[in-house]
Amino acid sequence: MLLALAVFYRKTIAKLLYWIIRKTIHRGPLGNTWDGVKNLSMQDFSAYINKYPYKADPLWGLLDYTIQEPNYFFRDDLRFGRDCSDFAQMWYWWAKENGYWAWKVLLYDGWNLKSGHATCVIFIDGKYYLADYWIRGEYNTLNQAIEQFRKQELVEYGKYKRLQWTTF
């Protein structure tokens, strides 16, 4: 139930919030950084996007939205709006641009809403790569990649003992 609600939110409300914020608070033209970085190697792309700092969504993440234009990520004047879902979205776009299969993944530790995290898994040459902020390893299956959140403290929240996840 929680995952179904989270996917609904991501596919509808988060997009709507993006466009409201984009047309009011962070309005104006976007640069064209994406064209210069979309075909970088996985390692170089990771290094490049991590030059841009994490910025929680408005109201400490309560108004969670996900970018809908790649160049928005590279704005220098962002006051908020470059969180895990935005890094995951950038990895998803990078993978698709380079001809790789990719899945955006939402995960929670049971019903703990504070544990919500978005990541991306990319399939390259028979291996699955876990990518949110950085590349977090190479795995044999999609499930094995996601299970790393149960095994390791990959994000500030810690280990996901009651891991539940879905693609969206």
Side-chain angles (χ1 to χ4, degrees):
M1 177 79 163
L2 174 62
L3 291 175
L5 289 172
V7 168
F8 171 78
Y9 184 92
R10 287 274 165 222
K11 288 185 173 186
T12 57
I13 298 168
K15 288 180 180 181
L16 177 62
L17 285 174
Y18 170 80
W19 289 110
I20 291 170
I21 289 169
R22 175 75 175 93
K23 298 299 180 187
T24 58
I25 298 169
H26 291 148
R27 62 184 175 268
L30 298 174
N32 196 15
T33 304
W34 176 244
D35 282 345
V37 301
K38 66 185 179 183
N39 296 118
L40 292 174
S41 70
M42 183 166 51
Q43 292 77 16
D44 289 344
F45 185 73
S46 182
Y48 192 84
I49 65 172
N50 278 286
K51 291 178 184 178
Y52 292 85
Y54 175 97
K55 294 189 181 234
D57 284 330
L59 298 175
W60 307 275
L62 264 153
L63 289 178
D64 196 2
Y65 69 94
T66 302
I67 60 174
Q68 301 298 306
E69 304 164 284
N71 283 308
Y72 182 85
F73 183 91
F74 302 111
R75 289 184 69 132
D76 290 326
D77 63 345
L78 288 183
R79 294 182 297 207
F80 46 76
R82 193 183 296 125
D83 67 355
C84 63
S85 65
D86 304 308
F87 278 87
Q89 182 66 48
M90 292 302 291
W91 277 112
Y92 183 81
W93 283 327
W94 175 86
K96 293 300 187 180
E97 181 67 35
N98 288 284
Y100 303 124
W101 289 6
W103 299 266
K104 293 182 285 184
V105 179
L106 285 176
L107 49 104
Y108 288 89
D109 188 20
W111 281 86
N112 185 338
L113 295 178
K114 291 181 181 181
S115 70
H117 184 63
T119 191
C120 183
V121 178
I122 305 167
F123 185 71
I124 303 173
D125 296 331
K127 295 291 182 184
Y128 295 82
Y129 293 85
L130 186 57
D132 47 19
Y133 309 106
W134 304 274
I135 297 296
R136 301 213 189 250
E138 174 184 298
Y139 305 97
N140 293 320
T141 67
L142 175 66
N143 194 57
Q144 185 183 41
I146 300 301
E147 280 295 315
Q148 298 311 303
F149 285 96
R150 189 186 315 267
K151 296 177 180 179
Q152 304 177 49
E153 292 186 10
L154 296 177
V155 293
E156 186 176 303
Y157 173 77
K159 291 182 183 178
Y160 286 68
K161 296 175 184 154
R162 300 164 295 150
L163 177 65
Q164 57 177 329
W165 62 275
T166 190
T167 58
F168 70 104

